[in-house]
């Protein structure tokens, strides 16, 4: 079974809706054992924005990336305006040699670092429900990059 770290922004209604669809698709995948979504991983008793919250959240997220078998990342940004937290998570996973599965639903240009660092490229959240996380088939991005 596979442990997945889900990277992606969740700062507005559109982003939350997208990440919820991805959480549901991953939950429906029989090859996924566990999904860690930072959106749902708040630490009880800490006030968002405080130094203690920031330190503990950072440490928790790093630990979860290290424990994951694969990182699924949502990259529906406006051209090169990448969410910095998601970009960090992708880069850290790549450094750890973790496969990164990119979900890119919008018709935007992809950052070349993400395009070259991904293991698999998907266009629809629903595809995550059927993706074979046990064999991790590769697929590549062939569009324009920035």
């Amino acid at each position: 079974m596979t442990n997945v770290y889900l990277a992606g922004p969740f700062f507005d209604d559109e982003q939350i809706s997208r990440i919820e669809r991805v959480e549901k698709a991953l939950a429906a995948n029989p090859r996924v054992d566990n999904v860690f979504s930072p959106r749902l991983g708040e630490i009880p008793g800490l006030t968002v924005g405080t130094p203690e919250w920031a330190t503990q959240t950072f440490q928790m997220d790093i630990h979860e990336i290290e424990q994951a078998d694969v990182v699924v990342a949502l990259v529906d940004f406006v051209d090169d305006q990448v969410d910095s937290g998601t970009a960090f998570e992708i880069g850290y996973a790549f450094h750890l040699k973790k496969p990164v599965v990119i979900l890119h639903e919008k018709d935007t240009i992809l950052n070349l670092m993400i395009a070259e660092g991904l293991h698999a490229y998907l266009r629809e959240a629903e595809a995550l429900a059927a993706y074979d996380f046990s064999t991790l088939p590769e697929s590549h991005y062939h569009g324009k990059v920035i």
Side-chain angles (χ1 to χ4, degrees), residues 22-74:
V22 171
E23 290 164 349
K24 287 178 186 169
L26 290 169
N29 189 313
R31 293 178 185 92
V32 173
D33 185 46
N34 181 57
V35 177
F36 178 80
S37 179
R39 181 182 80 86
L40 303 173
E42 288 297 326
I43 302 168
L46 296 180
T47 303
V48 173
T50 64
E52 181 184 20
W53 168 85
T55 297
Q56 288 191 32
T57 298
F58 176 81
Q59 304 254 336
M60 175 181 63
D61 290 356
I62 291 298
H63 173 76
E64 293 294 337
I65 293 170
E66 291 169 347
Q67 298 304 307
D69 299 305
V70 61
V71 170
V72 171
L74 286 64

Side-chain angles (χ1 to χ4, degrees), residues 97-111:
K97 300 186 181 345
K98 307 265 181 190
V100 178
V101 176
I102 296 295
L103 175 64
H104 183 215
E105 292 183 315
K106 291 185 177 181
D107 289 323
T108 57
I109 298 169
L110 200 57
N111 177 283

Side-chain angles (χ1 to χ4, degrees), residues 79-138:
D79 297 328
D80 199 31
Q81 302 302 311
V82 176
D83 172 65
S84 56
T86 303
F88 176 89
E89 292 162 327
I90 292 168
Y92 189 61
F94 180 83
H95 174 74
L96 294 173
K97 300 186 181 345
K98 307 265 181 190
V100 178
V101 176
I102 296 295
L103 175 64
H104 183 215
E105 292 183 315
K106 291 185 177 181
D107 289 323
T108 57
I109 298 169
L110 200 57
N111 177 283
L112 77 93
M113 299 302 281
I114 293 172
E116 291 298 315
L118 60 80
H119 179 84
Y121 176 79
L122 302 175
R123 295 286 298 173
E124 297 174 350
E126 295 73 23
L128 289 163
Y131 183 77
D132 188 349
F133 282 96
S134 59
T135 63
L136 294 167
E138 287 188 52

